[in-house]
Amino acid sequence: MDTTTTKQRYHITTFGCQMNKADSERMAGIIENMGFEWSEDPNNADLIVYNTCTIRDSAEQKVYSYLGKQAKRKHREPHLTLVIAGCLAQQEGEALLRRVPELDLVMGPQHANRLEDLLQQVYNGNQVVATESAHIAEDITTPRRDSTVTAWVNVIYGCNERCTYCVVPNVRGIEQSRTPEAIRAEIERLAKMGYKEITLLGQNIDAYGRDLPGTTPEGRHQHTLTDLLYFIHDVPGIERLRFATSHPRYFTERLIKACAELPKVCEHFHIPFQSGDNEILKLMSRGYTHQKYRRIIDTIRRYVPDATISGDAIAAFPGETEEQFNNTLKLMTDIVFDHTNTAAYSPRPGTPAALWDNQLSEEVKSDRLQQLNHLVSIQAEMRNQRYLHRVEEVLVEDQNPKTPTQVMGRTRGNRLTFFRGDINELKGKLVQVKITEARAFSLTGESVEVRQVLAV
């Protein structure tokens, strides 16, 4: 189908994690290469992609609701092309076509780079399902990135862990690391385009490189996340590096030391703990104890005393007793996190824990989640108070949508910060900001000095 003459429009709706956001940017790049232009309103789009998540049931239900509306529209406008991508597509596969026959393409996350070929098959009159296991080809498409200041860079796809509650390994496949050279080349391209901050992404980023060949003379694996940080650190024009998501089982002192030594690596560590109870951690197949988790945090605070530390917690895992839940609250109280992402346990298809007969009631889930969230906001506010009257370096990303006279950006510790300024002048700049107000989830300040960052 030649879209160049008609300038057809497309829309992508993204659910879920940072990996999904990165995949959506790559798919948007492919679609724009095909001659489509972006439409803010899905109802004006000729091609709609839902990039889905299956971590929680609520995200799935939202997808089905959106799909239902567009499926009805397709009866009125048969030219509309409907694509469902991502983890729900991988999990459900052909069953989605039975549930929503109006779909044209069902595509798992490993096939994001093949989108053009798959759409071509659709335009040739086929209904396509692409969920078979695939080697992820090195991506040469330029993503359509949502930001011009910060960018995601995938370093490892998939996950080999088998946490009993998690559907990710089933839907994103086995671990596949990109080569350090390919990653550095992408970051160099981004630097030339004026990007200032890179977040390295992996479902289990600390596992980076263990599927790549090579060991050092001492017998250590040659390609680790730590080695990668040293390898890419000196790319000119890049001011900041971040990485996510970590797994406590693989988080090493060597990695923490590198973060302390390398000036571009931000002082922000996101390490999910999920539970503070050893018995629950064992049932989850997490492979560590709460004592090991605490030692990791102690080591971080020894090397990087002012580090921002965030985590993930699951409330009401099957069989969790009141005492076991209190152990999670205790872990959080002892560590005092800057932020914690919380969720009530949600049974996912194809995971062991979904089949257990000791599921907790919705009331217990709701109550425990509420208790977690209450503690999260108290801790976030408490930790943010330490920034009051301090001068923090903020990378300006955008205008404050609520207050156009203000710009917004993030500190090195990943705290969202607002201050008065002109976005046209400050976008992409590093600004020293004196913090005048600290709330639980954001800061406000006034600029002290702007550091010019030259584009390469």
Side-chain angles (χ1 to χ4, degrees), residues 151-276:
W152 319 107
V153 172
N154 281 315
V155 301
I156 179 171
Y157 301 99
C159 181
N160 290 0
E161 298 304 303
R162 284 283 171 214
C163 302
T164 54
Y165 55 83
C166 184
V167 78
V168 165
N170 301 347
V171 293
R172 282 194 172 267
I174 59 167
E175 289 164 4
Q176 295 179 45
S177 300
R178 295 175 67 196
T179 65
E181 294 74 20
I183 294 163
R184 185 177 168 111
E186 183 176 352
I187 293 171
E188 284 171 346
R189 280 200 304 276
L190 289 164
K192 287 193 171 72
M193 292 161 68
Y195 285 88
K196 300 294 179 286
E197 179 180 296
I198 301 296
T199 300
L200 306 177
L201 282 186
Q203 220 71 50
N204 176 9
I205 199 161
D206 308 275
Y208 172 76
R210 64 180 174 186
D211 57 322
L212 297 175
T215 52
T216 64
E218 310 83 58
R220 183 177 61 73
H221 205 289
Q222 196 177 341
H223 301 296
T224 64
L225 177 60
T226 308
D227 297 307
L228 181 66
L229 288 175
Y230 281 109
F231 183 67
I232 63 171
H233 186 267
D234 64 347
V235 172
I238 299 300
E239 293 286 326
R240 290 177 171 184
L241 292 168
R242 303 183 188 276
F243 57 90
T245 296
S246 293
H247 191 301
R249 197 195 296 191
Y250 307 104
F251 208 86
T252 64
E253 184 164 354
R254 186 170 170 260
L255 174 60
I256 297 166
K257 202 167 165 224
C259 295
E261 281 176 8
L262 296 171
K264 291 184 184 180
V265 179
C266 292
E267 299 79 11
H268 173 226
F269 298 86
H270 181 73
I271 315 174
F273 55 94
Q274 307 303 11
S275 171

Side-chain angles (χ1 to χ4, degrees), residues 13 26 41 61 64-66 68-69 144 162 176 194 213 219 230 255 257 319 359 385 408 410 447 449:
T13 299
R26 279 165 40 236
D41 180 359
Q61 296 319 314
Y64 287 126
S65 155
Y66 286 21
K69 287 179 193 137
R144 176 197 185 272
R162 284 283 171 214
Q176 295 179 45
Y230 281 109
L255 174 60
K257 202 167 165 224
Q359 307 289 328
Q385 289 305 316
M408 60 192 217
R410 291 185 180 271
S447 63
E449 172 209 338

Side-chain angles (χ1 to χ4, degrees), residues 266-314:
C266 292
E267 299 79 11
H268 173 226
F269 298 86
H270 181 73
I271 315 174
F273 55 94
Q274 307 303 11
S275 171
D277 183 83
N278 286 348
E279 191 52 43
I280 294 292
L281 288 170
K282 198 172 177 181
L283 290 169
M284 288 177 167
S285 293
R286 289 291 286 168
Y288 56 87
T289 59
H290 78 83
Q291 289 91 339
K292 174 169 180 181
Y293 188 88
R294 289 165 188 269
R295 284 196 297 274
I296 290 168
I297 304 303
D298 287 345
T299 309
I300 290 172
R301 287 183 168 156
R302 196 168 75 242
Y303 280 101
V304 191
D306 197 41
T308 301
I309 296 170
S310 55
D312 294 352
I314 296 172

Side-chain angles (χ1 to χ4, degrees), residues 105 107 111 114-122 128 130:
L105 169 59
M107 180 182 84
H111 296 270
R114 294 183 53 219
L115 181 58
E116 183 166 4
D117 294 344
L118 297 170
L119 282 173
Q120 216 53 62
Q121 291 177 43
V122 168
V128 182

